[in-house]
Amino acid sequence: MTKLIRVAIVLSFFLTTTILISREFRTSKIPNGNKFACANCHINPSGGGARNSFGKAVEGLVSPGGFEDFWNENLANIDSDGDGFTNGQELQDPAGLWRTGQPNPGDINLVTNPGDPNSKPSTTSLDDINLFAKYELHNNYPNPFNPSTKISFTIPRSEFVTLKIYDIKGQEIKTLVNGNYPAGTYQLEWNGKDKNNRNVAAGVYVYTINAGHFSKSARMILLK
Ligand SMILES: [Ca+2]
């Protein structure tokens, strides 16, 4: 055996090992990973290949040296492929609570792929998770943030909605939403600019939604 072939064999062993560990790590951290494995993160439905939009969102949440759980409410709230259904809705775990090894919160046969815009939850699946059952102002993501963050809300029926951002003194900074919206979940992005399009200072900001009789506020932190 030539030295070159031996080097190639050793190299291929390490490459293969690295890929397998990487896949196992990622798929064990997302809901239903046992059933769908890489299909949730890759373009090829049988696993492997380039990452789809959900795979990219997952990868973006892995901290540089950290291997902590990243499936959580924030990732569940993102609509990776922009088809109007959050990752949590598509994976039958809207709150991002499910962990590998725990009982599945939804019907595993109704789980769709949050990276594929052609894969949408069925009507049955949406009924099961009671999609628009209540008013909700979801946590912004990321938080803390710089330079921008996403804020989403859910309304169970058509409402006139306002969503405004205030500084810690209660002064209005920006109106993100002001209009009629049909039932559904919506996501806005705040770019850290005030109503005059000026960058605001680092600090704590409050966002408040009013929709019908529903009102809720939450805090977020702009870091610079
Ligand atoms: Ca989606």
Side-chain angles (χ1 to χ4, degrees):
M1 196 185 297
T2 68
K3 190 177 176 187
L4 188 64
I5 290 173
R6 265 181 287 157
V7 168
I9 289 172
V10 169
L11 260 182
S12 73
F13 172 78
F14 279 113
L15 286 173
T16 307
T17 306
T18 304
I19 290 166
L20 287 176
I21 289 171
S22 167
R23 284 180 182 171
E24 186 181 317
F25 155 62
R26 289 202 166 86
T27 56
S28 68
K29 299 280 186 177
I30 59 176
N32 312 307
N34 289 343
K35 180 179 181 187
F36 283 87
C38 293
N40 276 328
C41 288
H42 293 269
I43 287 170
N44 183 344
S46 62
R51 286 193 186 86
N52 60 27
S53 51
F54 180 57
K56 287 173 188 164
V58 167
E59 186 168 57
L61 290 176
V62 180
S63 61
F67 273 35
E68 71 272 23
D69 283 347
F70 53 75
W71 176 251
N72 54 31
E73 186 183 3
N74 287 330
L75 182 50
N77 281 335
I78 299 172
D79 175 16
S80 293
D81 55 6
D83 66 357
F85 303 100
T86 66
N87 299 334
Q89 287 161 6
E90 300 203 35
L91 292 172
Q92 289 277 294
D93 179 17
L97 297 174
W98 193 79
R99 293 289 176 272
T100 298
Q102 293 177 347
N104 193 289
D107 181 346
I108 202 162
N109 295 310
L110 299 174
V111 168
T112 52
N113 187 338
D116 177 2
N118 298 315
S119 164
K120 296 182 179 175
S122 69
T123 310
T124 314
S125 121
L126 297 182
D127 285 348
D128 284 352
I129 61 177
N130 215 0
L131 185 53
F132 304 135
K134 58 176 186 172
Y135 294 87
E136 193 58 73
L137 177 64
H138 306 285
N139 291 338
N140 65 300
Y141 175 82
N143 189 35
F145 67 95
N146 180 17
S148 68
T149 189
K150 286 171 180 164
I151 302 171
S152 55
F153 65 89
T154 300
I155 50 174
R157 64 180 69 89
S158 181
E159 291 281 13
F160 187 84
V161 181
T162 62
L163 203 164
K164 296 185 176 187
I165 293 167
Y166 302 88
D167 67 16
I168 201 68
K169 295 178 212 156
Q171 287 184 321
E172 191 178 316
I173 299 294
K174 176 105 179 183
T175 298
L176 284 184
V177 170
N178 186 35
N180 278 302
Y181 284 73
T185 294
Y186 301 90
Q187 186 178 69
L188 297 312
E189 184 158 357
W190 183 43
N191 57 6
K193 293 181 188 290
D194 66 12
K195 51 192 157 195
N196 298 316
N197 212 30
R198 290 179 303 215
N199 289 321
V200 301
V204 176
Y205 291 86
V206 176
Y207 53 104
T208 300
I209 187 173
N210 281 285
H213 297 295
F214 175 72
S215 180
K216 188 177 174 185
S217 296
R219 289 178 163 212
M220 57 187 168
I221 300 172
L222 171 60
L223 290 181
K224 289 198 178 176

